Amino acid sequence: MELMNYIIIAFKITVGISILNVWLLQQNKPTRWRGGDAKTIVEEFKVYGFSKNFCYVIGFLKVSLAIILMASIQFEMLTLIGSLGLSALLAGSILMHIIVKDVWYKSFPAFLFIVMNLIIASGSL
């Protein structure tokens, strides 16, 4: 296996575990990346003007796509679904940070994961 394949696998694991960590383990903990002054994910969605139910829908999609992305290590045909699906949702995250005028660094994790996902997607073409 060539070096780029190992890098793509590392990116899949990094993005997948990071998304699962945020949505399953850190959801009720404050972090410096949350929008506005939110302490939890639900509060963050309220800062953006969204409902708790919408938060749960996005959470379900992100967790599902993170699992799909990690499963794509074994099942290559899942790669584009996981990587491009997460890229779209992460672009929405960046847009919301811009709309509420957050400081730029709060968008950095989403931007970094979009870049990693686009590298993953390009490697599967």
Side-chain angles (χ1 to χ4, degrees):
M1 189 179 311
E2 66 180 64
L3 177 62
M4 193 60 189
N5 289 338
Y6 287 113
I7 291 170
I8 288 174
I9 290 170
F11 282 1
K12 287 177 179 183
I13 293 167
T14 300
V15 172
I17 289 175
S18 296
I19 297 291
L20 293 175
N21 178 53
V22 167
W23 282 91
L24 300 177
L25 301 178
Q26 303 295 322
Q27 64 180 330
N28 293 316
K29 297 178 183 173
T31 74
R32 64 178 156 170
W33 315 110
R34 298 227 187 274
D37 294 324
K39 304 285 187 247
T40 68
I41 285 183
V42 171
E43 287 178 18
E44 185 174 14
F45 272 70
K46 287 182 182 173
V47 167
Y48 300 146
F50 296 123
S51 70
K52 184 188 249 186
N53 287 338
F54 186 70
C55 175
Y56 293 149
V57 169
I58 295 299
F60 173 79
L61 291 172
K62 283 192 175 182
V63 166
S64 298
L65 290 167
I67 292 168
I68 288 169
L69 185 66
M70 290 190 298
S72 74
I73 294 168
Q74 182 66 35
F75 305 102
E76 183 65 31
M77 79 284 268
L78 299 175
T79 299
L80 287 178
I81 295 167
S83 63
L84 296 180
L86 281 172
S87 292
L89 292 175
L90 291 164
S93 299
I94 292 172
L95 179 63
M96 295 317 302
H97 282 295
I98 292 169
I99 288 171
V100 300
K101 298 181 169 92
D102 274 333
V103 292
W104 71 270
Y105 74 82
K106 290 189 177 196
S107 296
F108 180 73
F111 175 76
L112 177 63
F113 291 153
I114 287 173
V115 170
M116 292 170 81
N117 273 305
L118 293 177
I119 291 168
I120 292 167
S122 69
S124 74
L125 298 176

